[in-house]
Amino acid sequence: MEAIVFFVSAAIILAGGLGVIVLRNPVHAALSLVATLFGVAVLFIDMEAYFLAAVQVIVYAGAIVVLFLFVIMLVGVDKAEDIYAEPIIKQRQFAALAAAGMLILVALVGVAFAGDVTGQPSNEDMTISRAIENPDGTTTPAETSNINQLAEALFTDYVFAFEITALLLTIAVVGAVVLARRPKGDLQPLPDVEPSWALRKPRAVTPTEATDPSAGDDADQDPDETTVDQAATDGAETDEAKA
Amino acid sequence: MSEFLRSYLTVAIFGATGCLLVGAFVGLSALVRPTRPQAQKYLTYESGVDPVGTGWSQSNIRYYVFALLFVMFDVEAVFIFPWATRLEAYGYFGLVEMAIFIFILALGLFYAWRKGVLRWV
């Protein structure tokens, strides 16, 4: 039965992974990533690591993919990068070569270790759930010990790493706030720089254009873009006034 | 089949039944209903204001801050679960450790609040 569950979830994982690469729409790719992460969660359950499976669904399939989707929608799906443009010359050929080399390497390692690729042989003793003994002499049965063992490791050997995790998350939030917060004073139109993937020479931005708020009215700018920038600025200003 | 996996059989059956029900009803209605395609029927709001632009529009970066704050407290909850199961074993040590953890995370929320990104105007 474990084997059946393994093969079904492995199929889900592979199909999802393939979808991430093959699908054109980045949102669809992110959704097939959800399928992959969900399949990994099923694999965790197959290995009786139910807490890890729950975490996999809550954090990865839920929160992390939400972040991915937000970043995709932030860039704007309709303005997605042309996937047929090759920033590095012949990068597809190089990628195919690297993939073939990797496959040969993995096959060689597999042959060299002949069946011992995954390390320890799996038997009942090696599953994550096993009964543990509490400090007061009682024994916690195997069904509930999974999460307890995680807690034991977290609050004994890895307590410092656990606290550092909090710091890491806080740094991430501070970074996002710095990126997203509204600067003091009037908003200025964005400098008119071509994106790097456009493969065109970026127009030089003069210092006055970048700092002078009235630069948006310069005649040499693209008339359409100026209107958009000005509209955005005006909207933000009225928002500020209301606040 | 192990006892552990058997307990998850309910989940599998539940999921399969859900997919089957949706598939059956959507498939059945597709078989039964007449199809007379009209351009109006493919509007997002058939009897509302005509939508402008596509649904794939660019979103505001301020949503991203909320998403990241959500992830932060999601991860916090993940750490609290194992802590809660072993709280009795660790006593005050565990309590203080978790207090430090939550305090550091609250600093991030406090920073976001002070910077005014939580205000939606």
Side-chain angles (χ1 to χ4, degrees), chain A residues 1-2 5 25 27-28 44-51 55 58-60 62-64 66-67 69-71 73-79 129 132-135 140 143 147-156 159-160 162-163 165-170 172-182 184 239 242-243, chain B residues 1-6 8-9 11-12 54-90 93-119 121:
Chain A
M1 189 62 202
E2 275 85 358
V5 175
N25 192 324
V27 174
H28 295 164
F44 279 142
I45 283 182
D46 204 24
M47 292 186 284
E48 307 199 2
Y50 59 89
F51 180 68
V55 168
I58 293 170
V59 174
Y60 281 89
I64 299 287
V66 166
L67 271 189
L69 282 173
F70 268 116
V71 170
M73 295 309 286
L74 216 63
V75 176
V77 183
D78 48 344
K79 290 175 209 149
S129 298
I132 54 167
E133 284 179 26
N134 289 327
T140 311
E143 308 90 66
I147 187 168
N148 287 358
Q149 282 180 332
L150 232 139
E152 298 236 303
L154 210 58
F155 286 96
T156 52
V159 75
F160 185 63
F162 162 71
E163 297 294 357
T165 311
L167 210 62
L168 194 73
L169 287 167
T170 309
V173 167
V174 170
V177 168
V178 168
L179 276 178
R181 88 197 157 86
R182 183 181 296 163
K184 281 204 177 78
D239 282 352
K242 268 186 244 162
Chain B
M1 196 200 298
S2 70
E3 195 58 44
F4 180 81
L5 217 56
R6 184 171 291 135
Y8 277 89
L9 201 63
V11 180
T54 63
W56 299 112
S57 61
Q58 201 169 9
S59 66
N60 197 319
I61 193 167
R62 290 156 82 194
Y63 293 110
Y64 183 76
V65 177
F66 285 89
L68 199 85
L69 284 172
F70 164 64
V71 171
M72 189 173 116
F73 288 100
D74 212 28
V75 173
E76 181 185 348
V78 161
F79 278 114
I80 285 177
F81 272 117
W83 169 78
T85 62
R86 298 301 285 168
L87 179 57
E88 287 174 349
Y90 292 121
F93 171 73
L95 198 67
V96 169
E97 282 296 336
M98 187 48 77
I100 295 171
F101 181 72
I102 292 176
F103 174 73
I104 296 174
L105 285 180
L107 277 182
L109 186 67
F110 182 73
Y111 178 77
W113 175 56
R114 287 301 297 158
K115 284 289 174 187
V117 292
L118 297 182
R119 243 186 1 195
V121 191

Side-chain angles (χ1 to χ4, degrees), chain A residues 200-223:
Chain A
R200 268 176 287 171
K201 201 179 169 195
R203 200 170 69 91
V205 183
T206 57
T208 48
E209 225 174 354
T211 53
D212 187 10
S214 65
D217 298 323
D218 280 1
D220 64 307
Q221 275 199 330
D222 190 346

